[in-house]
Amino acid sequence: MKEFWDNKYSTNEYVYGEEPNEYFKYAIDAFLPAGRLLLPAEGEGRNAVYAVKKGLEVVAFDQSKEGKKKALKLADKAGVKIDYRVGELPDLPLEGEIFTAAALIYAHFTPQLRLEYHRLIGKLIKPEGLIIVEGFSQQHIEYQEKYPNIGGPRNIGMLYTLEMIRSDFDDFEPIESSEGEVELSEGSSHIGTGNVIRFIGRKVK
């Protein structure tokens, strides 16, 4: 997968655009006025840049070194600095670090890794902290034929259900959660109508 993402990001174009994801922007503005934010699978940095501009302390990471290059370029354009690390979650020196929140925006992992990664991320969030998720639902498979540029994994095992997210983050009390259609216009790789899971939870344990 590392090679896939390096190839995808090794263009001048920001394949998911330069603006933050709309649900991420809403969640940050509504629920996170300050604090320390973890952004796994951050890609080209659009969400990290927005969060830093809002005054948050951000640690972002991705397995793609090309993603990091694009993210740092975008941060420089915005006149901000981001802490962006390259590697797989279990290999990053995050143990002992504590975050006010983490946001998983279209961060889809293989079935073999998903639960482990979600639990590791949950452990890094302090009590009363937030988990923010937007990702494609298992219903999204039906949309990919009609909207070939909508993106998302074509392996249904990498897609989400609300029950899956609630179970993976069972230390978090739901603030809001939903599944439904959304119109996406994010760069050239999220264009059209998709079906997504949205979840915001507050850590209670």
Side-chain angles (χ1 to χ4, degrees), residues 54-127:
K54 293 289 290 186
L56 296 168
E57 181 184 349
V58 174
V59 174
F61 70 87
D62 198 284
Q63 60 184 316
S64 170
K65 65 181 187 298
E66 297 297 330
K68 178 179 180 177
K69 289 178 185 177
K70 300 275 281 294
L72 296 182
K73 183 178 178 181
L74 189 63
D76 187 61
K77 179 180 176 181
V80 299
K81 301 289 185 183
I82 56 176
D83 180 349
Y84 194 115
R85 309 174 189 184
V86 175
E88 297 283 355
L89 176 57
D91 302 324
L92 292 170
L94 291 170
E95 187 174 354
E97 296 195 44
I98 298 295
F99 295 87
T100 313
L104 293 163
I105 305 300
Y106 297 105
H108 291 273
F109 306 112
T110 65
Q112 295 80 10
L113 296 176
R114 190 203 79 245
L115 178 59
E116 176 192 359
Y117 280 20
H118 284 179
R119 290 292 169 89
L120 285 172
I121 291 163
K123 288 178 181 178
L124 293 170
I125 301 172
K126 69 179 185 179

Side-chain angles (χ1 to χ4, degrees), residues 112-189:
Q112 295 80 10
L113 296 176
R114 190 203 79 245
L115 178 59
E116 176 192 359
Y117 280 20
H118 284 179
R119 290 292 169 89
L120 285 172
I121 291 163
K123 288 178 181 178
L124 293 170
I125 301 172
K126 69 179 185 179
E128 301 297 318
L130 299 178
I131 185 70
I132 301 162
V133 178
E134 178 169 286
F136 290 118
S137 76
Q138 292 189 355
Q139 301 301 317
H140 183 68
I141 290 286
E142 301 170 14
Y143 292 76
Q144 290 174 318
E145 298 303 319
K146 188 173 182 181
Y147 301 99
N149 294 322
I150 191 61
R154 292 185 176 272
N155 174 359
I156 196 169
M158 294 179 68
L159 301 175
Y160 295 141
T161 67
L162 272 178
E163 292 74 17
M164 182 187 298
I165 295 300
R166 289 175 181 145
S167 176
D168 287 359
F169 295 104
D170 60 1
D171 286 350
F172 292 77
E173 180 180 11
I175 296 173
E176 59 179 55
S177 62
S178 64
E179 176 182 343
E181 289 188 354
V182 64
E183 295 295 324
L184 293 177
S185 180
E186 300 181 325
S188 60
S189 293

